[in-house]
Amino acid sequence: MLRLPELSDLQVFHTVAQTGSVTLAAKHLHRVQSSVSSRLKVLEEQLGVDLFIRQGKGMQLSPAGERLLGHAEDLLSRAAQAVQVARSDEPCGPLRVGSMESTAAVRLPPLLAQLHRAHPALEIQLATGPSHPLSEQVLAQSLDAAFVAEPPEHPELQRRVLWQERLVLVGTASAPNTLLAFRQGCAYRGVLQRWCQQQTLTPRVIELNSYHAILSCASAGMGLGIVPESVLASYPWRAALHEQALPAAQAQVPTYLVWHAARQHAGVSALLALAERSVTVRSAE
């Protein structure tokens, strides 16, 4: 197995290369000369090459040393940045966010744009899917946070209600025999299926991957779907749809931001603060 050089040895190599002398490098690094010489020897033995041409007390880079120097500078710079990031409370680095399709399409674009402007060092990554799998990914810490409906009760899952979505039935007006829905794990599909049970209906399910597909199939009379009002509001062919109101208790479904209790990610705190602020602004309007 290849043994990688230690950063401290690369620091010694870089300092000797910059000063051209073991004596000057030792003074700069606050080490004794024998320690600097020893670490250089270890590094050269590890790499199997001579990094310097010894000329009396002077040190000149060999061709191998010249090739290594730029990479050493890059690694040392990245290490210093990593230490700075770890010690900083400023949101930075990857932020893995999950979201339901409807939330990603309607609610998130302005919110994520604000987050990027406020914290440009954040690397925002967005994944979409049904609520239950997204919640599981947060618990597994493969996502830092997610926008979901009906998250599971779990001691490690923190949650905050952000807004309410009003759900609307679209499609066949009479007793439907086909449901148009996302795959299992979608909270809104659960609402639709519970409504069917109350109506003593046992329809088959066509699983689709987008709200536009659900709306297109519903407008063609292929079945019954359930869609947030916020998605319907931006659908250009809404007039072609038959809409049916759900009972009030089922129509209003909260959207939560969930995150793992053990992960203190500054990016999640920043996202939550912006989301709550946007909700407050909309309420005031």
Side-chain angles (χ1 to χ4, degrees):
M1 182 180 293
L2 177 65
R3 184 184 168 196
L4 298 177
E6 295 184 12
L7 283 173
S8 58
D9 290 346
L10 290 176
Q11 180 68 67
V12 169
F13 161 72
H14 181 263
T15 306
V16 174
Q18 293 297 308
T19 60
S21 163
V22 169
T23 302
L24 293 177
K27 290 181 180 179
H28 185 82
L29 295 169
H30 305 290
R31 293 191 179 199
V32 297
Q33 292 184 39
S34 60
S35 173
V36 172
S37 297
S38 174
R39 296 321 305 169
L40 271 183
K41 183 178 179 181
V42 168
L43 182 60
E44 289 179 322
E45 290 177 351
Q46 192 174 1
L47 297 176
V49 294
D50 291 330
L51 298 174
F52 292 95
I53 300 170
R54 275 78 172 173
Q55 297 176 332
K57 293 184 178 181
M59 304 283 283
Q60 181 181 344
L61 281 171
S62 69
E66 291 176 350
R67 292 193 297 270
L68 178 62
L69 182 60
H71 294 288
E73 289 175 342
D74 182 57
L75 288 169
L76 292 170
S77 175
R78 287 176 178 271
Q81 291 173 11
V83 171
Q84 184 177 6
V85 166
R87 292 176 176 175
S88 174
D89 291 331
E90 174 64 22
C92 59
L95 176 64
R96 302 161 301 173
V97 180
S99 174
M100 298 179 289
E101 290 282 347
S102 56
T103 304
V106 177
R107 305 278 189 178
L108 291 194
L111 181 59
L112 294 184
Q114 283 183 296
L115 183 65
H116 177 68
R117 286 195 298 270
H119 305 287
L122 272 177
E123 301 167 17
I124 304 168
Q125 303 167 8
L126 181 63
T128 59
S131 289
H132 181 71
L134 290 175
S135 298
E136 291 297 320
Q137 289 177 65
V138 173
L139 284 170
Q141 301 189 48
S142 57
L143 287 176
D144 297 306
F147 294 89
V148 301
E150 300 181 356
E153 294 285 347
H154 195 287
E156 294 181 329
L157 195 66
Q158 299 291 301
R159 63 175 71 189
R160 191 73 56 84
V161 174
L162 293 176
W163 51 75
Q164 299 283 335
E165 291 288 2
R166 188 174 79 87
L167 303 182
V168 180
L169 292 171
V170 293
T172 308
S174 59
N177 58 13
T178 301
L179 298 186
L180 310 168
F182 286 94
R183 68 180 188 272
Q184 287 285 3
C186 173
Y188 298 162
R189 171 175 171 163
V191 172
L192 180 57
Q193 290 178 318
R194 289 192 292 272
W195 178 85
C196 287
Q197 290 172 357
Q198 293 171 359
Q199 307 300 313
T200 65
L201 301 172
T202 55
R204 68 188 183 100
V205 179
I206 295 178
E207 293 187 348
L208 299 167
N209 295 321
S210 73
Y211 279 108
H212 278 284
I214 290 174
L215 290 169
S216 295
C217 292
S219 63
M222 294 173 58
L224 182 69
I226 192 167
V227 180
E229 167 66 32
S230 58
V231 173
L232 274 176
S234 62
Y235 186 60
W237 300 282
R238 183 174 183 177
L241 291 166
H242 176 85
E243 298 179 20
Q244 182 178 344
L246 281 164
Q250 294 174 302
Q252 297 292 331
V253 178
T255 298
Y256 298 79
L257 181 67
V258 297
W259 65 95
H260 199 289
R263 287 186 65 80
Q264 302 299 319
H265 195 305
V268 173
S269 300
L271 176 62
L272 177 61
L274 282 174
E276 290 183 322
R277 194 177 307 153
S278 69
V279 171
T280 301
V281 170
R282 283 198 298 270
S283 299
E285 293 174 348

